[in-house]
Amino acid sequence: MTVEKVTDAATGAPVRSGKHPEAADFPLKEARKLVKDLWKPDARIYWTDFTLSAAIGWGAVAVATMAANYSLMQILALVVATLGLYRAVIFIHEIAHFRKGTFTAFRRFFNAFCGMPMMVPAYTYADVHIDHHKPQVYGTAEDGEYLPFAVDKPWKIVAFIVQALIVPGLLLLRYTVLMPLTLIIPAFRRYVWKRASSLVIDFAYIRPEPKKDQVAGWLLEDIFTGIYAYVALGLMYMGTLPWKLLAVWYVVTILIFVLNGLRTLAAHAYRNGGRERMTQQEEFLDSVDIPGNRYISALWAPVGLRFHATHHLFPGMPYHSLEKAYFRLKAELPDNRLYLAATRPSLMAAVAQLWREAKAAQKDAQKAA
């Protein structure tokens, strides 16, 4: 995919732009017409899929905890726990897209059986992710889910994956140490909500303060997540639960963040070094679809995330419709060339392309210097 080179207004140095020179030719109206029947979410699919994923995940956590250390049974259980809970956690993405006032029972169910015990209550992602889809935010410095990896130093791609090793510890710290302090120090609560309450990839991201009707909800989700952590640690201290459970949780959480980190690197082209605003067509062409194998690829990109570019084209479409939308658009668009420009053959191919582009950008920067 071609990218434009622009000049940084402050330094005069050349930077790469995520804008696509042919984006205006993308057949957006035709695409919308072709998928107009795929927008209704099926609650039965959501409840069944999430419940089975969470049950399998937590069941495998129990098996891994009871199994002998480093045994084949424990290793297999860790793999199953990671894949099951990863799929369950990713439903936080769908929750972010639910229309206000809908699926409220599902959100509570998600929090109770996955979000809170995994230290990622629903509010930590909801508004942040919706901002990521706004044309005035996507790819800019205000987008916490975007970093221009393709035009930056390659080592930052590696660092992004390696940081998963400390994330579980930070989550525990957030809800066992910081959370109680936020209850007694309002100013500190506002600071934590801005700086340490968002599932993002840009650690410099500052989250907007909650709206008046969100304050109570955020606070309750924080409190109950902290209660989960304290009850679990208390039961371990008393000997009711084994400390090994904490180790298993930590390992599974690391593996989930590594897997999701690789998926995140393959979710976009990350070429917008100028951090410019983009049109919806440009946003699509800076995103990535990886249809792959519907069974194998869904393990690392669950809940419809194989079709991430198509999701950015139709962010309100339920996950169970995205595969049908992708193949319908591929087959029925009069000119599908630009639509298929966002498709990559595999996860590794997408990450490898990102790495090559980052190395090329680094060489260009060295030549310019």
Side-chain angles (χ1 to χ4, degrees):
M1 187 166 98
T2 306
V3 293
E4 298 176 352
K5 291 186 178 181
V6 296
T7 301
D8 186 280
T11 65
V15 294
R16 294 196 178 195
S17 168
K19 291 182 175 294
H20 193 289
E22 298 179 87
D25 298 328
F26 185 87
L28 185 57
K29 289 183 179 179
E30 293 89 336
R32 285 173 175 163
K33 289 179 182 178
L34 285 170
V35 299
K36 63 182 179 180
D37 61 320
L38 300 179
W39 290 83
K40 186 177 180 180
D42 188 330
R44 294 170 299 178
I45 294 177
Y46 278 90
W47 282 92
T48 303
D49 193 344
F50 171 77
T51 302
L52 288 175
S53 298
I56 290 170
W58 289 119
V61 165
V63 172
T65 303
M66 293 184 290
N69 289 340
Y70 313 113
S71 64
L72 179 60
M73 177 65 74
Q74 187 181 58
I75 292 170
L76 291 175
L78 287 172
V79 171
V80 173
T82 298
L83 296 176
L85 288 177
Y86 177 39
R87 185 173 185 88
V89 166
I90 288 296
F91 274 90
I92 199 172
H93 176 262
E94 290 295 302
I95 290 170
H97 284 283
F98 289 152
R99 286 182 297 171
K100 188 175 181 179
T102 66
F103 283 84
T104 53
F106 183 84
R107 176 174 174 144
R108 295 190 189 104
F109 190 71
F110 166 85
N111 274 332
F113 290 97
C114 185
M116 290 173 178
M118 292 301 294
M119 307 284 111
V120 287
Y123 93 89
T124 59
Y125 193 63
D127 298 317
V128 175
H129 184 66
I130 292 303
D131 284 348
H132 173 61
H133 282 276
K134 294 177 179 176
Q136 67 269 32
V137 174
Y138 175 84
T140 70
E142 287 73 40
D143 185 354
E145 291 190 66
Y146 193 99
L147 287 171
F149 288 115
V151 297
D152 211 336
K153 298 176 180 64
W155 66 262
K156 292 187 178 182
I157 296 174
V158 178
F160 175 67
I161 298 299
V162 172
Q163 55 90 30
L165 296 173
I166 64 169
V167 170
L170 294 177
L171 292 175
L172 279 173
L173 177 68
R174 164 69 175 80
Y175 287 103
T176 59
V177 178
L178 301 188
M179 188 279 291
L181 295 175
T182 67
L183 300 181
I184 58 177
I185 310 173
F188 185 63
R189 181 193 313 152
R190 291 191 293 272
Y191 178 83
V192 169
W193 277 350
K194 286 182 179 180
R195 293 284 192 171
S197 300
S198 305
L199 291 174
V200 292
I201 66 174
D202 183 356
F203 289 165
Y205 175 75
I206 299 176
R207 185 175 189 163
E209 291 195 17
K211 301 179 179 67
K212 287 184 179 180
D213 62 347
Q214 293 177 316
V215 172
W218 288 22
L219 193 56
L220 282 173
E221 289 192 21
D222 264 356
I223 291 170
F224 279 107
T225 303
I227 289 173
Y228 270 79
Y230 278 113
V231 168
L233 292 172
L235 291 173
M236 291 175 199
Y237 179 77
M238 292 187 295
T240 307
L241 290 175
W243 284 104
K244 187 177 174 181
L245 174 61
L246 179 60
V248 169
W249 176 88
Y250 201 101
V251 169
V252 168
T253 305
I254 286 175
L255 293 174
I256 287 172
F257 273 93
V258 168
L259 202 53
N260 190 58
L262 290 170
R263 181 204 63 79
T264 298
L265 289 174
H268 295 287
Y270 297 110
R271 295 182 173 120
N272 193 24
R275 309 308 292 269
E276 303 163 289
R277 292 183 179 181
M278 299 188 194
T279 64
Q280 188 173 11
Q281 295 96 318
E282 288 166 339
E283 181 181 328
F284 168 79
L285 290 164
D286 189 54
S287 302
V288 176
D289 281 327
I290 307 176
N293 179 284
R294 69 183 309 181
Y295 303 107
I296 302 301
S297 300
L299 296 178
W300 61 261
V303 193
L305 290 180
R306 292 184 291 145
F307 306 99
H308 200 72
T310 300
H311 166 67
H312 270 263
L313 204 58
F314 311 115
M317 183 176 289
Y319 80 97
H320 53 75
S321 295
L322 287 172
E323 182 176 32
K324 185 180 290 186
Y326 175 87
F327 286 106
R328 184 182 295 179
L329 292 170
K330 179 181 177 180
E332 298 182 24
L333 275 174
D335 181 359
N336 67 6
R337 180 180 56 87
L338 282 176
Y339 181 69
L340 293 179
T343 296
R344 306 285 187 275
S346 67
L347 169 65
M348 288 300 105
V351 175
Q353 181 170 332
L354 186 68
W355 179 264
R356 288 194 300 271
E357 291 186 15
K359 289 188 71 175
Q362 187 69 10
K363 288 182 180 178
D364 289 347
Q366 290 171 350
K367 289 178 182 178

